[in-house]
Amino acid sequence: APCGNKGCSINYRRFSTILLKEKKTKIEIENAQLKLKNSEALYQQLKQQIHPHFLFNSLNTLKSLINKSPDVAEDYLIKLSDFLRTSVSAGNDNIVKLKEELKLCLNYLEMQKIRYRRALQFNVDIPEKIYLTGFVPVFSLQLLSENAIKHNALTNESPLQIQIKYDEGWITVINNLQPKLTTETTTGSGLTNLAERYKILSGDEIIIRTTAIQFSVSIKILRNENSNH
């Protein structure tokens, strides 16, 4: 021991243990801060991907509707305005109440319903208690719904069916699988981005299932708006 006696040796070991614990705690805090910054960066990246692409398609749809059906175009414009208002109100939050994300997602789906009519069908089965108390990453359900529309064919004869349902702490977005023969150009990073954000925020993986006739993605409901695994 540095001072040459038993008592001093014990005190030295205790002091060293305290220093190691403090160092470990400091490292854990720094890692958590880095993960949070990474999560925020991923969210901003996703937000930048969604808005320009979405607005470009929405304005093209609105232009087409104005020429064909002014009344429908007005309804579409109201829903677009509500969608943008809701998405902007999310600010820079990574996590939002499930109720808010669901509103964002339904605004999006209702707009697409105006565009595709009978070729798109959707329904939501989530208990009120769940969507009033749970949290999810912002743009998560909207992204999953958009992916279903982006990658599948929609026709009156074979409509795309999207279901958003709750089961034992998880929200699942399901669609019948009918891939487009040609798909629009995409980086394919949206789902990867969501999976990475989920891992950082909660420590959980998203669950992706594919069968011959169905595709689904399940995300776990978060219980804390400040979740950061």
Side-chain angles (χ1 to χ4, degrees):
C3 61
N5 63 66
K6 185 176 180 181
C8 186
S9 175
I10 293 173
N11 289 335
Y12 178 77
R13 286 198 299 271
R14 288 176 177 172
F15 181 69
S16 297
T17 301
I18 292 172
L19 285 179
L20 287 172
K21 287 182 178 179
E22 288 181 350
K23 184 176 181 180
K24 182 180 178 181
T25 300
K26 183 178 180 182
I27 291 173
E28 288 174 348
I29 292 173
E30 290 175 349
N31 285 338
Q33 290 173 339
L34 287 172
K35 286 181 178 180
L36 181 59
K37 289 179 180 178
N38 187 34
S39 175
E40 291 170 350
L42 288 169
Y43 160 64
Q44 292 300 332
Q45 178 186 350
L46 177 63
K47 193 173 181 180
Q48 290 167 9
Q49 289 171 353
I50 288 175
H51 281 198
H53 172 78
F54 173 77
L55 282 175
F56 179 77
N57 285 342
S58 296
L59 292 175
N60 277 342
T61 299
L62 184 59
K63 179 181 177 181
S64 175
L65 288 172
I66 288 173
N67 295 329
K68 296 178 180 179
S69 179
D71 291 340
V72 176
E74 182 179 359
D75 187 26
Y76 186 91
L77 183 58
I78 291 171
K79 293 185 185 303
L80 174 59
S81 176
D82 194 24
F83 174 87
L84 293 175
R85 187 183 303 111
T86 304
S87 63
V88 169
S89 67
N92 293 322
D93 296 331
N94 278 313
I95 303 295
V96 294
K97 287 184 178 179
L98 178 55
K99 178 181 178 180
E100 295 173 8
E101 175 62 21
L102 196 56
K103 179 181 179 182
L104 187 77
C105 180
L106 288 177
N107 278 339
Y108 170 79
L109 285 172
E110 286 168 1
M111 289 170 58
Q112 301 310 307
K113 180 69 174 178
I114 292 174
R115 177 182 178 185
Y116 293 107
R117 310 263 180 148
R118 290 188 295 121
L120 174 63
Q121 301 173 4
F122 62 89
N123 67 79
V124 177
D125 183 14
I126 301 175
E128 182 179 4
K129 179 181 177 181
I130 301 301
Y131 68 71
L132 288 177
T133 58
F135 294 83
V136 292
V138 66
F139 291 122
S140 52
L141 299 181
Q142 187 274 336
L143 169 68
L144 296 176
S145 299
E146 183 179 8
N147 275 355
I149 294 173
K150 184 187 300 182
H151 296 292
N152 289 278
L154 292 83
T155 65
N156 291 340
E157 296 73 27
S158 299
L160 178 67
Q161 300 172 353
I162 299 176
Q163 182 180 10
I164 304 173
K165 69 175 187 177
Y166 168 82
D167 183 37
E168 296 185 353
W170 292 76
I171 298 290
T172 302
V173 180
I174 307 167
N175 65 268
N176 53 323
L177 199 57
Q178 40 194 39
K180 290 180 179 178
L181 296 178
T182 57
T183 57
E184 55 188 279
T185 302
T186 175
T187 62
S189 60
L191 195 55
T192 300
N193 186 311
L194 178 62
E196 290 177 352
R197 285 199 298 143
Y198 235 92
K199 186 68 175 177
I200 291 169
L201 290 168
S202 67
D204 293 305
E205 305 282 353
I206 65 174
I207 300 174
I208 302 173
R209 298 184 181 92
T210 306
T211 68
I213 60 172
Q214 195 175 79
F215 179 82
S216 71
V217 179
S218 299
I219 60 175
K220 191 172 184 179
I221 294 177
L222 307 176
R223 295 300 177 187
N224 189 341
E225 62 182 326
N226 298 314
S227 293
N228 183 46
H229 181 70

